[in-house]
Amino acid sequence: MAKDVWSICFMCTVRCPIQVQVVDDDVVWIQGNPHVPGLEGALCAKGSAGLALLHDPERPQYPMIRTGKRGAGQWRKASWEEALDYTAEKLKAVIAAHGPQSVVFGERTNLNTHISKTFMKALGSPNHFTHDALCKGSVNTAFRSLTGYTDAEMGIDYANTRYIVLYGRNIFESLEIRPINNLLDALEKGAKLVYIDPRVTVTATKADRYLMIRPGTDLALNYALIHTILREGLYDKEYVSRWVSGLEELKAFVEPYTPAWAAQETGIPAEVIVQIAREAAAAKPQVVFHYGYRGAHHVNEIYFRRSLIILNALLGSIEAKGGLIIKKGPKAAGRGDIGKYVNQEFPKITAPRFDGSGGTVFPLADASHGNPQRLAQAILSQDPYPIKAAIFNRIEPLQSIADSNQMRKALDTLDLIVAIDINFSEIAWFADVILPESIYLERADSLQLASGLKPQLFIRRQAVSPRYDTKPAWEILKRLADRLGIGSYLPYETIEDIWHFQLKDMGVSLSDFDAKGFVALSKDPILWDRKDGLKFKTESGKIELVSPLLEKAGFPSFPPYVPPARPPEGRYRLLVGRCAAHTHCSTQNNLYLNELVPENELWIHPQEAARLGVQDGAYVEVESAVGRGRLKAKVTEFIHPEAVFMLHGFGKTVPAQTRAYQKGASDAVLQENLSDMVGGSPAYEDTFITVRPAK
Ligand SMILES: Nc1nc2c(c(=O)[nH]1)N[C@H]1C(S)=C(S)[C@@H](COP(=O)(O)OP(=O)(O)OC[C@H]3O[C@@H](n4cnc5c(=O)[nH]c(N)nc54)[C@H](O)[C@@H]3O)O[C@H]1N2
Ligand SMILES: Nc1nc2c(c(=O)[nH]1)N[C@H]1C(S)=C(S)[C@@H](COP(=O)(O)OP(=O)(O)OC[C@H]3O[C@@H](n4cnc5c(=O)[nH]c(N)nc54)[C@H](O)[C@@H]3O)O[C@H]1N2
Ligand code: SF4
Ligand SMILES: [Mo]
């Protein structure tokens, strides 16, 4: 029997709405939801490779309990009853001996995060954390310091922009389909794209202007852009006088940061800096200085992110058509909010977070996300208390957190490691119990609320029955909760129970999803009135350039510029990133995607390669202060001579992933565990490595 099922792709967390064609309980075709503007049937290579994941025999097929040493790959097959009983008993023992705060739960934010947060609160532990700080912690803090909104509450109106500047936002490879299609439309209508990166990426090749910046100096460039915009009076005076405070302090601060000064620092000619400032100002307010994603992750990340938001503020592009927009949720559309189990009464938790997020370590970081970056230190130092059990759901601490060797050492001291995963990831292989989740095509999940100019709800319905003995995470957590005596906090049995609970105040029913797989909560885009209707969530209701949030915590709003350290003689700054064929560290073993990009290579400039005796295509050994690796060299002029680059997520050590096993090197093994202590992000790009031809 043939049917079409509305779902949401999960080959990466962009979560494109999809239409899945099913014949006789098997998937025959996946395409983007044709009714969604900007998607219209499109899917990326990874999305199409969902088919290979579904049928992959190299994923966990049943619950497993470790029998040998950690990581040795000796397992026994267990029933779900047995594996859940085992996990619950171990958790109870840990809680009895060390208290509920000794249990941590990490996950990549997903549709069921309201359930896992509920699980942890009911357990009495403050230690639920997400990947968020690793991705954009400092962007989040920067936005809150200026506007009161988090980065998750901000978006970009790509379709209507006239001028967009991307700082290592390699949007055509590290992709999101809808934004790309919208941006392509804008470019066709004449919008200009400026791309800044020490490496020539696919996005660089599509730009009107590409600037090979010296790594880590984007902040100097931005101070010179701000200097020029203010000196030449190019800013949006009406917007700034109504919505921005602290302009005089900013003017005084950027005075010394001239384009000539920045040219020395960045390698970008002064006249080009001036031209960009003028071009951007001429397009205002339909301008975007892209504030986010990764790109330049350094210990002063927060100030770089603030400088980007300040540029947008000066050109009046915040809450402007073709600029940045404040995302609108159900309330702005006159609806009730989506139901979340986490909005209920829980027993009071007095222990602080293990990671000091919103506390003693990262006072300004968003405590609702926590910070995985501190996990290894917190375990090893037992500060602020012992951690004894960890549940990892859809997150890979051994590849997504810098310094894997330290992480392995720390995790090995725990009494219990649980992995809820769909792959034999490094962490699953190192765990004590693997609770295999059904993949997105085999399960339904909580509804997705997508806030934006037009808020919408999306649904992931189950397309086919599970190929193996796997379960959705919401069910795994419910069954675990029942065994721990906290099941009443998760009052559901089926996915329909969850959906009804989510929809109860929204004026939407399940059948509303039948026609198109989504429900629009507003007919028209909701933009607030720029004259009088903007609602910044700061105390003054304005964009606060001088930030009480920062200053009350003892951090300056405008610290003097400190140049990034130059690599010591014989070392290179390690830059990392993604490619279009892979998702972080998840897809390297996928049958199709592995064929497209089987391993990572080390990009190195020819002048440096010649000096080191490194040949294009030959193996090199790389080493940092904390780890080492081996991969092929790619000798290319397309990278700044101070830096080398590798794709993130390779260098697998799990033999069960036969296609990816030992291919390339892992960036996380090399990276030192450094952080921006103000913003909360890791400084992934402050590690220096040596390179030599492999023996
Ligand atoms: N195909 C694919 N797409 C994805 C993802 C994926 O895994 N795969 N993941 C999604 C997620 S979660 C994220 S966070 C985004 C990431 O999206 P991006 O931030 O666009 O992507 P990265 O691939 O991390 O690329 C970082 C770029 O920054 C450059 N860079 C390094 N140092 C500097 C510097 O000092 N200055 C400047 N200007 N540039 C620098 C690097 O050379 C690299 O090209 O992608 C999203 N989209
Ligand atoms: N060294 C280094 N670390 C990084 C980065 C980097 O560039 N270098 N980038 C950072 C960024 S931007 C981000 S966003 C994070 C991402 O960090 P992660 O979220 O950890 O990375 P992913 O590869 O997206 O997914 C991790 C795990 O989720 C599992 N998984 C995939 N789908 C499912 C599913 O449906 N259910 C379950 N239960 N598990 C699933 C995968 O098998 C994998 O083990 O990493 C950050 N950390
Ligand atoms: S970008 Fe690709 S992999 Fe990510 S959700 Fe969309 S289709 Fe799936
Ligand atoms: Mo990310």
Side-chain angles (χ1 to χ4, degrees):
M1 205 193 65
K3 61 174 179 177
D4 279 354
V5 181
W6 298 122
S7 181
I8 304 172
C9 181
F10 205 41
M11 289 300 287
C12 84
T13 45
V14 169
R15 292 182 283 219
C16 299
I18 51 174
Q19 185 177 29
V20 186
Q21 291 175 14
V22 176
V23 176
D24 295 336
D25 197 30
D26 203 4
V27 177
V28 294
W29 184 247
I30 310 172
Q31 63 176 10
N33 184 326
H35 303 293
V36 173
L39 200 58
E40 289 128 1
L43 208 61
C44 80
K46 298 175 294 162
S48 305
L51 276 168
L53 173 63
L54 179 66
H55 299 290
D56 196 345
E58 294 197 0
R59 60 176 168 116
Q61 302 185 9
Y62 38 76
M64 294 161 80
I65 297 176
R66 177 171 67 85
T67 54
K69 260 180 57 164
R70 278 207 173 111
Q74 287 153 332
W75 301 96
R76 70 182 164 88
K77 180 176 176 178
S79 67
W80 276 98
E81 294 299 305
E82 209 184 341
L84 290 167
D85 284 347
Y86 177 91
T87 306
E89 288 316 310
K90 289 263 182 188
L91 283 173
K92 279 187 200 161
V94 162
I95 292 169
H98 303 280
Q101 73 280 0
S102 63
V103 181
V104 302
F105 187 115
E107 70 183 355
R108 178 88 192 260
T109 315
N110 62 74
L111 299 180
N112 299 312
T113 294
H114 70 118
I115 290 175
S116 39
K117 283 192 168 178
T118 304
F119 177 89
M120 288 303 279
K121 288 197 173 196
L123 209 59
S125 171
N127 292 327
H128 178 280
F129 64 88
T130 74
H131 79 294
D132 211 71
L134 304 177
C135 177
K136 46 205 169 62
S138 298
V139 185
N140 178 329
T141 311
F143 262 114
R144 279 184 291 117
S145 78
L146 285 153
T147 66
Y149 287 99
T150 67
D151 62 310
E153 295 171 299
M154 303 297 299
I156 293 173
D157 181 13
Y158 290 98
N160 295 302
T161 193
R162 291 176 57 212
Y163 199 85
I164 178 162
V165 188
L166 304 175
Y167 296 73
R169 174 67 190 100
N170 184 12
I171 196 163
F172 293 116
E173 292 182 88
S174 302
L175 46 85
E176 297 167 282
I177 298 178
R178 273 180 287 177
I180 292 185
N181 282 336
N182 290 335
L183 177 58
L184 287 172
D185 285 348
L187 295 177
E188 255 167 45
K189 283 187 277 173
K192 293 280 173 274
L193 168 62
V194 178
Y195 185 72
I196 301 161
D197 194 318
R199 180 175 75 101
V200 183
T201 62
V202 170
T203 310
T205 65
K206 305 236 178 284
D208 295 280
R209 222 187 245 284
Y210 163 66
L211 308 173
M212 186 181 275
I213 194 166
R214 186 158 83 76
T217 63
D218 303 64
L219 179 57
L221 167 65
N222 284 357
Y223 284 161
L225 287 171
I226 296 173
H227 173 104
T228 308
I229 287 169
L230 293 179
R231 196 192 53 207
E232 298 191 4
L234 301 171
Y235 58 100
D236 184 332
K237 298 194 180 76
E238 199 183 329
Y239 183 94
V240 168
S241 71
R242 174 68 185 86
W243 297 115
V244 178
S245 70
L247 190 69
E248 290 314 310
E249 288 88 340
L250 178 68
K251 268 189 186 155
F253 170 70
V254 295
E255 238 256 355
Y257 300 122
T258 61
W261 164 83
Q264 294 289 323
E265 186 62 14
T266 60
I268 300 171
E271 58 278 13
V272 172
I273 300 176
V274 173
Q275 273 164 13
I276 293 173
R278 289 177 186 161
E279 288 167 9
K284 71 175 179 289
Q286 285 161 278
V287 180
V288 174
F289 284 87
H290 200 295
Y291 47 82
Y293 275 145
R294 297 182 25 75
H297 273 229
H298 305 289
V299 289
N300 64 349
E301 187 77 9
I302 176 93
Y303 294 105
F304 167 53
R305 300 301 173 184
R306 278 173 53 82
S307 70
L308 290 164
I309 303 163
I310 291 172
L311 280 162
N312 287 294
L314 291 177
L315 297 184
S317 79
I318 301 183
E319 193 68 354
K321 193 177 166 189
L324 312 194
I325 51 119
I326 300 169
K327 288 185 186 169
K328 314 301 183 312
K331 217 172 125 207
R335 309 270 185 150
D337 207 353
I338 191 164
K340 293 180 186 153
Y341 293 112
V342 75
N343 295 337
Q344 57 182 305
E345 285 289 315
F346 296 97
K348 195 168 162 45
I349 296 172
T350 49
R353 292 193 58 93
F354 79 94
D355 48 32
S357 214
T360 50
V361 185
F362 300 102
L364 294 184
D366 189 340
S368 69
H369 289 296
N371 200 331
Q373 181 79 350
R374 285 290 291 187
L375 184 60
Q377 285 114 304
I379 294 174
L380 289 172
S381 66
Q382 307 210 350
D383 177 18
Y385 42 69
I387 293 171
K388 290 292 171 185
I391 304 173
F392 297 108
N393 173 36
R394 214 238 160 281
I395 195 165
E396 178 38 300
L398 290 170
Q399 292 219 288
S400 307
I401 301 175
D403 197 352
S404 314
N405 290 329
Q406 187 197 34
M407 181 61 76
R408 227 173 254 275
K409 202 170 117 197
L411 292 179
D412 205 20
T413 67
L414 300 185
D415 293 349
L416 178 69
I417 306 173
V418 181
I420 303 175
D421 209 318
I422 57 162
N423 286 310
F424 283 117
S425 56
E426 303 286 303
I427 187 59
W429 205 245
F430 198 67
D432 305 323
V433 195
I434 303 178
L435 303 175
E437 182 163 30
S438 308
I439 74 155
Y440 66 105
L441 296 166
E442 303 168 317
R443 67 181 199 242
D445 275 318
S446 297
L447 297 169
Q448 181 193 9
L449 170 63
S451 302
L453 280 179
K454 282 196 213 176
Q456 292 164 323
L457 286 170
F458 292 93
I459 194 163
R460 175 180 290 143
R461 290 191 186 274
Q462 182 180 352
V464 293
S465 52
R467 304 295 95 159
Y468 305 115
D469 187 14
T470 58
K471 291 191 184 301
W474 54 264
E475 189 184 334
I476 297 174
L477 290 178
K478 167 69 176 163
R479 289 180 171 222
L480 210 47
D482 285 342
R483 283 168 169 77
L484 293 164
I486 52 172
S488 61
Y489 289 95
L490 296 174
Y492 60 77
E493 290 301 325
T494 64
I495 192 66
E496 284 77 15
D497 294 342
I498 297 175
W499 288 341
H500 288 305
F501 171 78
Q502 289 186 284
L503 291 177
K504 67 183 170 17
D505 299 328
M506 301 200 83
V508 174
S509 69
L510 272 179
S511 57
D512 295 343
F513 291 90
D514 291 349
K516 296 182 174 174
F518 69 96
V519 175
L521 299 178
S522 132
K523 229 172 81 221
D524 300 311
I526 311 168
L527 264 177
W528 287 331
D529 173 19
R530 287 158 56 80
K531 274 218 154 60
D532 227 22
L534 301 192
K535 302 173 183 117
F536 293 110
K537 291 204 279 193
T538 50
E539 229 165 81
S540 63
K542 292 189 174 192
I543 300 171
E544 295 173 342
L545 304 183
V546 177
S547 163
L549 186 79
L550 288 181
E551 307 219 339
K552 275 185 205 153
F555 302 115
S557 300
F558 302 121
Y561 178 79
V562 179
R566 298 243 176 194
E569 182 62 30
R571 288 176 181 257
Y572 301 88
R573 186 180 288 276
L574 175 62
L575 310 183
V576 303
R578 282 132 266 276
C579 66
H582 284 294
T583 295
H584 299 285
C585 48
S586 290
T587 55
Q588 281 71 13
N589 199 53
N590 180 286
L591 182 67
Y592 300 165
L593 301 175
N594 182 271
E595 200 173 309
L596 289 176
V597 180
E599 63 192 309
N600 60 352
E601 301 169 316
L602 189 79
W603 293 38
I604 184 164
H605 193 273
Q607 159 201 315
E608 301 303 312
R611 197 200 323 229
L612 298 166
V614 165
Q615 305 287 326
D616 185 43
Y619 279 95
V620 290
E621 283 166 7
V622 288
E623 188 167 353
S624 72
V626 296
R628 54 175 62 173
R630 187 175 187 272
L631 74 174
K632 276 185 192 158
K634 173 182 164 115
V635 178
T636 169
E637 281 172 358
F638 287 170
I639 181 144
H640 194 284
E642 269 183 28
V644 290
F645 169 86
M646 66 169 70
L647 288 175
H648 162 55
F650 286 83
K652 305 286 185 199
T653 68
V654 177
Q657 297 210 355
T658 62
R659 307 169 201 117
Y661 182 54
Q662 290 187 338
K663 300 261 178 72
S666 166
D667 59 340
V669 168
L670 294 161
Q671 286 158 332
E672 294 172 47
N673 189 281
L674 305 167
S675 295
D676 163 6
M677 303 309 291
V678 187
S681 276
Y684 283 124
E685 266 129 27
D686 278 343
T687 292
F688 298 120
I689 65 170
T690 56
V691 181
R692 59 172 180 271
K695 287 190 207 96

